[in-house]
Amino acid sequence: MPKAFLSHSSAQKLFVEEVATQLKDDCLIDSKSFEEGLESLDEILNALGRTDLFVLFIAEEALESEWVRKEIVTAKRL
């Protein structure tokens, strides 16, 4: 099964974590895939390269997020 990168804003965290729980090991999400306090932009962007699918949880907060915008640009490039 393809592995998905779940891109979202912190305002969507609870909802996206529930989706990640349903997907189990088939996704990467910051709170479950990266060590707390260690997630850097490089680490997150590297994770994009290890996934097959980019899933963007669109919300106003996500589209205003600098981190999410960088994830979108990187996913598009990949």
Side-chain angles (χ1 to χ4, degrees):
M1 176 158 218
K3 189 168 288 271
F5 183 95
L6 307 183
S7 179
H8 63 286
S9 73
S10 58
Q12 301 164 288
K13 186 165 289 300
L14 291 176
F15 174 74
V16 176
E17 285 178 344
E18 180 57 36
V19 171
T21 298
Q22 298 299 316
L23 293 173
K24 298 183 173 98
D25 294 330
D26 295 325
C27 69
L28 291 177
I29 178 175
D30 59 358
S31 61
K32 298 190 185 306
S33 304
F34 309 116
E35 291 184 46
E36 190 169 339
L38 295 181
E39 53 198 48
S40 68
L41 179 59
D42 289 338
E43 184 179 14
I44 290 170
L45 298 181
N46 184 10
L48 276 167
R50 297 188 323 264
T51 58
D52 306 298
L53 182 65
F54 178 76
V55 179
L56 173 60
F57 288 83
I58 298 175
E60 188 173 333
E61 298 89 355
L63 296 176
E64 292 174 353
S65 166
E66 182 179 338
W67 285 86
V68 172
R69 284 194 305 264
K70 289 178 181 181
E71 292 169 0
I72 292 169
V73 167
T74 301
K76 186 176 178 181
R77 182 177 49 82
L78 293 172

